[in-house]
Amino acid sequence: MSEPAVHPYSSHAPVFTVAGRTEGRLGRDLLRLDIQEGSLGLRTLVAHLDPVGPDSDGSAESLSYLDGGLLDFGTELTATLGPAGGERQLFKGVVSGLEVSFAEGGTPYVTVFAEDALMKLRLTHTTTSYENRTDAQLAEAVADRHGLGSVADADGPAYPLVQQWDQSDLAFLRERALRVAAELWVDSDDTLHFTTRDKREGADLRLVQGNELVELHARADLAHQRADVQLLGWDDDTAAKVVETAGADLVSAETGGGRTGPSIVAQVYRGPRLTRSRRDTPVAGTATAYAAAELLRRARGFVTVEGTTAGTPDLVPGAHLDLRRVGRPFEGDGYRVVHARHSYDPSIGYRTAFRAERPEVRS
């Protein structure tokens, strides 16, 4: 059963640790904090800090946080938000950027940028070949190369040969994830996850418009829906064409009895089909996997909601949402969060903006 989210008037300030030590002055001097992450990973942190201390005259020479003493490139930083008993560590990573800003008549401020462990993959460009690997095994190989643990659980074919050509490891894994409808992230113990959505754990949250939800925009749109997806290829070994089709039945396992995008678009526009042609489909099961991933990606995005709560630490990619008092077609459960941004501003407190999707409307 879904649990109510944090009370909408919760405004608990974040708690920071630097190299494992709690640093209260970061919370004291915080002007704005933003932590965000999508379903294909790389969690980022941006913190604006007041660098003018009690002994500072406001000159550039006396500003805090710029001398490398507390915050420097590569410094480990964590941030925890939420009420007492409901806190969640929303960020763990290292500092990658420092910025100072001045404006006439304004107070200077320092901005700290940090990313999680996927930043290592973003900075590493590789040209290499992999033999007889599934996409999950490719993820394990990349994680091992960076000294990360791995949990890879995504069904798909084994490829005789896959080439990564002058591409960052992060871009490579994101591309592989899209091919088999997988998601990508790193958890707090630096374990890389490469799993399909149904195997990603997430909190069950009930969000009620006018209570936990302070803002919501919901939309069902047929623009990108197709009745089915067909993959075409050519098998050089057998000199035969490859044709595989994924239909609306694939979506039924993720619905609660409502009308899906593929089924509606088939009725309204008489069954539009999306056809893709790829040269890397001859391997047994490859065309099937690619067609299914394309259909699921489109079908899952049939209903999208963008909303804001007054601070919900468990509202992260993978969370399951049950939305209430949001209009009959959009009412109920079945939503999965695909992007979240946690923000803190001393003037308005803690806010969580999110994007979630569902493959159906309900009557």
Side-chain angles (χ1 to χ4, degrees):
M1 180 177 177
S2 301
E3 296 296 332
V6 176
H7 190 277
Y9 301 107
S10 170
S11 59
H12 299 270
V15 175
F16 295 93
T17 70
V18 176
R21 301 185 306 273
T22 301
E23 291 291 347
R25 54 185 148 164
L26 292 179
R28 178 198 67 194
D29 295 339
L30 184 66
L31 301 173
R32 171 82 184 188
L33 173 68
D34 288 289
I35 298 169
Q36 59 181 330
E37 179 187 16
S39 58
L40 290 178
L42 191 59
R43 187 178 295 123
T44 63
L45 175 149
V46 179
H48 302 291
L49 302 168
D50 180 358
V52 182
D55 299 323
S56 172
D57 59 7
S59 66
E61 292 78 12
S62 63
L63 297 180
S64 301
Y65 305 118
L66 293 176
D67 61 0
L70 178 63
L71 298 172
D72 200 358
F73 300 104
T75 299
E76 183 181 279
L77 180 66
T78 74
T80 300
L81 285 91
E87 309 94 334
R88 180 186 178 108
Q89 181 179 288
L90 288 171
F91 181 83
K92 176 188 175 185
V94 299
V95 174
S96 62
L98 295 168
E99 179 181 274
V100 64
S101 300
F102 300 91
E104 183 178 11
T107 302
Y109 61 92
V110 168
T111 304
V112 178
F113 301 89
E115 284 82 24
D116 71 8
L118 283 181
M119 186 65 168
K120 300 179 190 177
L121 279 64
R122 180 173 176 264
L123 295 177
T124 303
H125 279 67
T126 305
T127 297
T128 189
S129 298
Y130 306 88
E131 296 182 355
N132 300 315
R133 306 281 184 98
T134 65
D135 288 295
Q137 290 170 332
L138 292 173
E140 291 172 339
V142 172
D144 184 64
R145 190 158 65 234
H146 290 276
L148 302 174
S150 61
V151 175
D153 193 359
D155 295 332
Y159 309 96
L161 178 66
V162 172
Q163 291 184 308
Q164 179 180 351
W165 185 262
D166 192 22
Q167 192 175 28
S168 78
D169 285 345
L170 179 59
F172 176 67
L173 287 190
R174 283 174 166 173
E175 179 185 282
R176 303 312 304 188
L178 288 172
R179 290 175 185 235
V180 292
E183 299 188 355
L184 179 69
W185 75 98
V186 168
D187 62 22
S188 59
D189 65 356
D190 290 346
T191 297
L192 183 146
H193 294 257
F194 184 99
T195 73
T196 48
R197 178 177 296 185
D198 58 308
K199 297 168 185 173
R200 182 172 190 172
E201 296 182 355
D204 295 322
L205 301 173
R206 185 178 71 248
L207 304 178
V208 181
Q209 176 61 31
N211 189 15
E212 294 86 11
L213 282 168
V214 297
E215 183 177 355
L216 183 84
H217 305 275
R219 178 175 183 171
D221 195 336
L222 293 175
H224 300 288
Q225 299 302 303
R226 299 294 185 271
D228 56 48
V229 174
Q230 185 178 80
L231 254 292
L232 306 178
W234 181 261
D235 190 330
D236 291 330
D237 292 335
T238 62
K241 65 180 179 180
V242 176
V243 181
E244 294 291 345
T245 303
D249 56 303
L250 284 175
V251 189
S252 60
E254 301 186 8
T255 65
R259 297 185 299 153
T260 67
S263 64
I264 296 174
V265 79
Q267 296 172 355
V268 175
Y269 295 106
R270 298 183 181 179
R273 165 176 288 173
L274 176 70
T275 300
R276 298 286 198 203
S277 298
R278 300 186 66 102
R279 291 188 57 84
D280 56 348
T281 55
V283 180
T286 305
T288 303
Y290 288 179
E294 179 77 20
L295 183 83
L296 285 173
R297 181 182 65 80
R298 290 172 176 271
R300 287 167 173 169
F302 174 44
V303 177
T304 57
V305 297
E306 295 189 2
T308 303
T309 73
T312 310
D314 286 332
L315 219 170
V316 296
H320 305 250
L321 301 186
D322 181 354
L323 303 182
R324 302 295 179 92
R325 291 195 289 193
V326 295
R328 181 174 295 177
F330 309 107
E331 192 80 6
D333 60 5
Y335 290 96
R336 293 297 296 268
V337 176
V338 295
H339 188 274
R341 184 181 74 248
H342 298 265
S343 303
Y344 180 83
D345 182 320
S347 63
I348 62 173
Y350 178 22
R351 292 288 185 270
T352 303
F354 67 92
R355 184 167 69 250
E357 56 186 31
R358 188 175 77 176
E360 61 179 326
V361 290
R362 299 179 184 174
S363 57

